[in-house]
Amino acid sequence: MEGAVLNAPANQAPTSAEEPWPVRTVARKIADWIHRLGTIWVEGQITQISNRPGAATSFLTLRDPSAEVSLTLTCASSLLRKQDPPLTDGSRVVVHGKPTFFVGRGTLSLRVDEIRAVGIGELLARIERLRQLLKAEGLFDPARKRPLPFLPNKVGLITGRASAAEHDVLTNARLRWPSVRFEIRNVAVQGSTAVPQILDALGELDRDPEVDVIVLARGGGSVEDLLPFSDEALCRAVSTCRTPVISAIGHEPDSPLLDHVADVRCSTPTGAGKRVVPDMAEETQRVHQLRDRARRALHGWVDRERRLLDSLRSRPALADPHGPLARRSEQVQVARDRARRAITGVLTAEGHAMTATRSRLTTLGPAATLARGYAIVQRVDSDGVDGVLRSIEEAPAGTTLRVRVVDGAVHAVVPDGSE
């Protein structure tokens, strides 16, 4: 509206609260502005076809398959009648038209003069281009794949209402693990409303803290039926989920882009039911096997330790712990006796040596000589010592000798009667 006001004639004053424009003026200016737009090509899905018999104009709704956005189309009824095959709800088309604003109703529509159905070849080419784009961005990288939980607390399931895919997932999962819990979201799995509903359900389950894994399941179908699972918005939403996602779309030959973006791809919903939970019988058998292995390992360890204890007990040190002590005591006693004899021998030998030395000293000493009746006598006259008397015969006749011995030593020899 601002553009229409700005493009108003120079003699047309801007609106104000005091001088507002009437509705017809505003509607006419909007129509004038829109009618200046050129023709455009638009792609989308056809819904709500209104083609009344005898009417010159038909009405359709063209919606974006990835968002809740739609646009009203008007075209000549003859344009619809000559479509081969006839258009149906959910058909992917490319239309050529010009935006038109109806002043009387205040509505915007696209006046279409050409409608082209998108063929399978073109759809596949677009999917391939999108595949290359997502692959280049790393959305298919195996390093981004998150492992599935061993036993999820709750499984989120997005599938069609009362569909065979839902039955297959639930039946196979409960056969393997009867107590498994599901949080189911029934959505449209084909057509124009499929992608928005799947995105809403995916976001809701991803925010649920009890949901540990999400399964997207759908049975087989044509390329057109499986188009929602190759939608770019859905692929990017799955890649940003915090919860691991399992893709179980169609059959083995079917390969929508969701299979490459999801963390795990199952060829069928039945495979997803078997993959999402473990098999209770197998796990019970594995527990029994592990328990038996643990029992055997424990028994083997106890037996080895018992044999080791028996071998230790059979050793002499443990069989007769007092024997080594007694033997050591005997060795100590023998060593003590040998030491005593050695010391006694040394003391005896030294005592004998000392006795012999003492005997020699006694024998050679003057006391022993005196004890045997010998003396060293000096002759002393008035002039002093006059030599040693070697024998009594050398003394003058009639001389009396007196010898004074103090402590075994001769101190003086004087004539008898002298001092």
Side-chain angles (χ1 to χ4, degrees), residues 309-363:
L309 287 176
D310 293 341
S311 64
L312 292 176
R313 289 174 181 172
S314 63
R315 293 181 180 180
L318 293 179
D320 183 16
H322 296 288
L325 294 178
R327 287 190 294 273
R328 290 296 180 184
S329 179
E330 293 175 358
Q331 293 175 0
V332 170
Q333 187 62 38
V334 170
R336 183 183 296 169
D337 294 341
R338 290 175 58 187
R340 184 180 293 110
R341 287 195 299 271
I343 293 175
T344 302
V346 171
L347 293 177
T348 301
E350 294 299 326
H352 293 165
M354 185 178 292
T355 301
T357 301
R358 182 182 296 166
S359 299
R360 287 196 300 272
L361 291 176
T362 302
T363 302

Side-chain angles (χ1 to χ4, degrees), residues 281-394:
E282 293 179 0
E283 297 304 321
T284 302
Q285 183 180 2
R286 184 176 292 109
V287 169
H288 291 162
Q289 292 175 351
L290 293 176
R291 185 179 296 169
D292 293 339
R293 289 176 56 186
R295 184 183 296 109
R296 289 194 298 270
L298 182 59
H299 288 173
W301 178 80
V302 171
D303 292 341
R304 287 194 302 271
E305 296 301 321
R306 181 181 290 113
R307 288 194 296 270
L308 178 60
L309 287 176
D310 293 341
S311 64
L312 292 176
R313 289 174 181 172
S314 63
R315 293 181 180 180
L318 293 179
D320 183 16
H322 296 288
L325 294 178
R327 287 190 294 273
R328 290 296 180 184
S329 179
E330 293 175 358
Q331 293 175 0
V332 170
Q333 187 62 38
V334 170
R336 183 183 296 169
D337 294 341
R338 290 175 58 187
R340 184 180 293 110
R341 287 195 299 271
I343 293 175
T344 302
V346 171
L347 293 177
T348 301
E350 294 299 326
H352 293 165
M354 185 178 292
T355 301
T357 301
R358 182 182 296 166
S359 299
R360 287 196 300 272
L361 291 176
T362 302
T363 302
L364 297 177
T369 302
L370 294 176
R372 293 196 304 270
Y374 293 91
I376 299 175
V377 179
Q378 293 176 329
R379 185 173 55 202
V380 180
D381 55 15
S382 59
D383 294 331
V385 179
D386 188 19
V388 177
L389 294 180
R390 299 185 181 277
S391 64
I392 299 300
E393 288 78 5
E394 293 182 2

Side-chain angles (χ1 to χ4, degrees), residues 33 40 47 64 152 154 163 259 275 282 317 347 371 373 377 399:
W33 185 76
I40 53 175
T47 61
D64 192 313
K154 185 179 290 187
S163 62
D259 286 351
R275 183 68 181 275
E282 293 179 0
L347 293 177
V377 179
T399 300

Side-chain angles (χ1 to χ4, degrees), residues 159-176:
T159 186
R161 184 180 302 277
S163 62
E166 178 180 356
H167 176 268
D168 291 344
V169 173
L170 297 179
T171 300
N172 286 277
R174 286 169 178 163
L175 284 175
R176 293 171 61 85

Side-chain angles (χ1 to χ4, degrees), residues 49-362:
I49 301 175
S50 177
N51 185 14
R52 292 190 297 270
T57 302
S58 297
F59 298 90
L60 307 88
T61 299
L62 185 69
R63 71 177 311 279
D64 192 313
S66 301
E68 288 290 348
V69 179
S70 61
L71 184 64
T72 300
L73 305 182
T74 60
C75 66
S77 298
S78 59
L79 183 62
L80 285 182
R81 285 193 292 270
K82 68 180 181 180
Q83 294 292 321
D84 188 19
L87 296 180
T88 59
D89 284 353
S91 299
R92 294 287 290 263
V93 296
V94 176
V95 300
H96 181 265
K98 187 177 187 301
T100 303
F101 186 79
F102 293 92
V103 176
R105 296 191 302 270
T107 58
L108 177 68
S109 66
L110 191 65
R111 183 66 182 180
V112 176
D113 56 19
E114 185 176 354
I115 301 176
R116 297 181 184 179
V118 178
I120 294 179
E122 187 174 356
L123 288 175
L124 294 177
R126 292 181 182 180
I127 292 174
E128 183 60 29
R129 288 195 295 270
L130 181 57
R131 184 195 306 273
Q132 297 301 327
L133 174 63
L134 298 180
K135 182 178 181 180
E137 293 181 9
L139 270 64
F140 299 169
D141 190 354
R144 298 182 66 257
K145 310 296 183 183
R146 291 156 295 188
L148 299 182
F150 171 71
L151 182 60
N153 178 46
K154 185 179 290 187
V155 179
L157 176 60
I158 302 175
T159 186
R161 184 180 302 277
S163 62
E166 178 180 356
H167 176 268
D168 291 344
V169 173
L170 297 179
T171 300
N172 286 277
R174 286 169 178 163
L175 284 175
R176 293 171 61 85
W177 199 273
S179 60
V180 62
R181 297 190 300 162
F182 279 92
E183 188 70 23
I184 303 175
R185 295 293 181 271
N186 293 122
V187 298
V189 291
Q190 68 182 54
S192 58
T193 61
V195 173
Q197 291 184 19
I198 294 174
L199 289 176
D200 293 341
L202 183 66
E204 183 178 352
L205 293 177
D206 189 39
R207 291 188 297 269
D208 190 341
E210 293 188 351
V211 175
D212 293 334
V213 63
I214 300 174
V215 179
L216 276 75
R218 187 200 188 283
S222 62
V223 176
E224 295 88 344
D225 294 338
L226 299 181
L227 278 179
F229 300 98
S230 293
D231 186 83
E232 182 178 1
L234 178 59
C235 291
R236 295 189 182 278
V238 169
S239 68
T240 58
C241 279
R242 297 174 301 172
T243 309
V245 177
I246 298 177
S247 173
I249 308 301
H251 301 297
E252 183 64 36
D254 300 322
S255 182
L257 297 184
L258 181 63
D259 286 351
H260 303 283
V261 180
D263 299 290
V264 175
R265 185 249 179 182
C266 295
S267 58
T268 61
T270 300
K274 295 179 179 179
R275 183 68 181 275
V276 73
V277 291
D279 188 350
M280 177 175 286
E282 293 179 0
E283 297 304 321
T284 302
Q285 183 180 2
R286 184 176 292 109
V287 169
H288 291 162
Q289 292 175 351
L290 293 176
R291 185 179 296 169
D292 293 339
R293 289 176 56 186
R295 184 183 296 109
R296 289 194 298 270
L298 182 59
H299 288 173
W301 178 80
V302 171
D303 292 341
R304 287 194 302 271
E305 296 301 321
R306 181 181 290 113
R307 288 194 296 270
L308 178 60
L309 287 176
D310 293 341
S311 64
L312 292 176
R313 289 174 181 172
S314 63
R315 293 181 180 180
L318 293 179
D320 183 16
H322 296 288
L325 294 178
R327 287 190 294 273
R328 290 296 180 184
S329 179
E330 293 175 358
Q331 293 175 0
V332 170
Q333 187 62 38
V334 170
R336 183 183 296 169
D337 294 341
R338 290 175 58 187
R340 184 180 293 110
R341 287 195 299 271
I343 293 175
T344 302
V346 171
L347 293 177
T348 301
E350 294 299 326
H352 293 165
M354 185 178 292
T355 301
T357 301
R358 182 182 296 166
S359 299
R360 287 196 300 272
L361 291 176
T362 302

